[in-house]
Amino acid sequence: NHRLQEMLQTMCRARGAELCPTDDRYCIDNGAMIAQAGWEMLRAGQVTELSQSGITQRYRTDEVEVTWRD
C-alpha cells in the first residue's frame, strides 16, 4: 500500500494534482477508493451502463481516464 501511494504521489505531482490517501483503517482493500471514484463520477453525471461495465484485476490506476473533473 505504501509503494502504491508513492507511485500515485509521483503521478499526481506530474499532473499538478494532490493525492489524498485514505486513512489506514480503510486500506484493507480497494472498496473505499472504488466507492469514492464511483460517487465522483455519479455526481458529475457520468454513468456507465451495466452491460458496458467490466472487471479486470490487471487494470492500472494510471490507465483511468478521468473525465469527471477539470
Side-chain angles (χ1 to χ4, degrees):
N1 193 8
H2 292 287
R3 177 63 183 130
L4 176 60
Q5 286 185 20
E6 290 173 11
M7 292 168 55
L8 290 170
Q9 186 66 263
T10 299
M11 288 189 289
C12 286
R13 280 193 201 115
R15 292 164 175 82
E18 178 183 354
L19 177 66
C20 300
T22 304
D23 185 294
D24 284 345
R25 294 173 296 168
Y26 304 108
C27 289
I28 296 169
D29 61 35
N30 288 331
M33 292 179 274
I34 292 167
Q36 182 66 38
W39 170 247
E40 297 297 338
M41 292 169 70
L42 181 63
R43 278 186 20 183
Q46 182 178 344
V47 178
T48 303
E49 294 295 328
L50 185 57
S51 62
Q52 300 298 312
S53 299
I55 300 170
T56 178
Q57 293 177 327
R58 304 281 187 242
Y59 202 75
R60 295 175 46 100
T61 56
D62 60 347
E63 293 176 348
V64 176
E65 183 180 1
V66 177
T67 59
W68 62 87
R69 54 173 259 189
D70 297 328

